[in-house]
Amino acid sequence: MFLLASPVSGTTLASWQDDNIIYSGDGVGTFTGADYETFGWHNTYWYDEGAADGVMNDGFTTATTTSQSVGASNDYKAFISILMQLLIT
């Protein structure tokens, strides 16, 4: 599991997808633009401080589209592993 962020504004999750970051969702319509939208589990979350409401883990919210903004004010948590790469190649 990695926490990812970008110091550059105006980028999206799709910008990382161009650099071979692979996204998966847990069903049709759960993660638009993901490489494997129906893989069975979400591998990418963003952190919403407002949703945390004092409980740190409650702030992790599933990414819903690869067009979501990535910038200095957004942190993303993504499960990226060699195993996932092996499963899809």
Side-chain angles (χ1 to χ4, degrees):
M1 192 79 58
F2 294 94
L3 289 177
L4 305 171
S6 173
V8 180
S9 62
T11 59
T12 64
L13 289 174
S15 303
W16 293 347
Q17 197 172 25
D18 290 345
D19 296 319
N20 298 318
I21 299 295
I22 297 168
Y23 300 118
S24 66
D26 57 4
V28 175
T30 60
F31 195 177
T32 304
D35 302 282
Y36 298 92
E37 188 176 8
T38 59
F39 193 70
W41 53 274
H42 241 89
N43 75 332
T44 307
Y45 298 79
W46 64 281
Y47 196 76
D48 181 0
E49 187 87 29
D53 196 30
V55 180
M56 184 182 75
N57 287 336
D58 289 351
F60 289 106
T61 307
T62 56
T64 56
T65 178
T66 56
S67 64
Q68 282 183 242
S69 296
V70 175
S73 62
N74 311 54
D75 289 329
Y76 283 84
K77 177 172 82 168
F79 181 81
I80 303 168
S81 76
I82 294 171
L83 176 60
M84 177 123 180
Q85 187 75 326
L86 292 173
L87 287 172
I88 59 172
T89 55

